[in-house]
Amino acid sequence: MELVPIGEAARMLNVNASALRYHEERGLVTPACRVGGRRMYGRAELRRLAFVQMAQRMGFSLDVIGEALDQPGERWREAIRGRLADLDELIARARRTQAFLSHALECQAENPVQECPTLTDVLDRQLAGESLAEIADDHLRSEPSRHAGTPAS
């Protein structure tokens, strides 16, 4: 691949040229060269920029991304493990929310807060000090086919 100017690189990555200049300022990429004062990028630089964009969308900070690019190792793996743990919690919360909403649609009670046995049990357990996540996980385990009354946390 031949060199492309900053405007073309920005178009390829679907970002503003100012984002590429910012990434250069942060030390995440250095243009391959300048032609007539214009930044030019080759395949290696474009890959770095694509990685920056992808990693940002996955929730990594620019500092961690920079380390992954220039000093890969245990800190990067630690960041990945942390991000995976965050995603596991997000997925668990989404499942609990989905189960609660499914039950809410199926519940025949006119006033669920007072009349739905599943919801009143959840509320009573919460008042007794149990976390919503614990209660929801219990309900998901005990009634997986119905997903009854499990609140989101």
Side-chain angles (χ1 to χ4, degrees):
M1 172 182 211
E2 59 188 64
L3 298 175
V4 297
I6 190 171
E8 178 65 14
R11 185 196 62 72
M12 291 170 73
L13 294 162
N14 199 29
V15 298
N16 293 324
S18 61
L20 302 185
R21 288 189 290 275
Y22 179 70
H23 293 325
E24 180 183 354
E25 182 181 307
R26 290 288 308 257
L28 298 169
V29 68
T30 301
C33 65
R34 290 181 186 255
V35 174
R38 291 175 51 188
R39 293 167 174 88
M40 302 295 285
Y41 299 91
R43 174 69 67 187
E45 294 79 24
L46 292 170
R47 283 182 179 150
R48 283 180 71 95
L49 290 165
F51 178 80
V52 169
Q53 189 176 35
M54 179 182 67
Q56 279 186 297
R57 287 186 176 145
M58 287 188 232
F60 291 101
S61 71
L62 290 178
D63 290 336
V64 170
I65 293 168
E67 287 181 11
L69 288 166
D70 298 323
Q71 301 168 10
E74 189 52 36
R75 180 154 152 77
W76 170 241
R77 292 185 191 291
E78 183 182 316
I80 291 172
R81 286 196 243 0
R83 192 67 188 114
L84 285 171
D86 292 345
L87 290 171
D88 286 342
E89 175 54 34
L90 181 64
I91 290 166
R93 188 178 317 162
R95 285 187 178 133
R96 291 188 299 263
T97 300
Q98 183 181 38
F100 174 76
L101 294 175
S102 293
H103 177 77
L105 278 177
E106 295 171 9
C107 184
Q108 300 298 310
E110 274 299 309
N111 186 344
V113 175
Q114 295 177 10
E115 300 169 2
C116 175
T118 302
L119 183 55
T120 56
D121 176 60
V122 167
L123 297 173
D124 288 343
R125 288 175 65 183
Q126 184 183 0
L127 290 171
E130 291 185 60
S131 76
L132 289 174
E134 292 170 323
I135 298 166
D137 289 343
D138 277 353
H139 279 278
L140 283 172
R141 279 191 299 274
S142 66
E143 302 181 40
S145 62
R146 289 187 44 222
H147 301 297
T150 52
S153 61

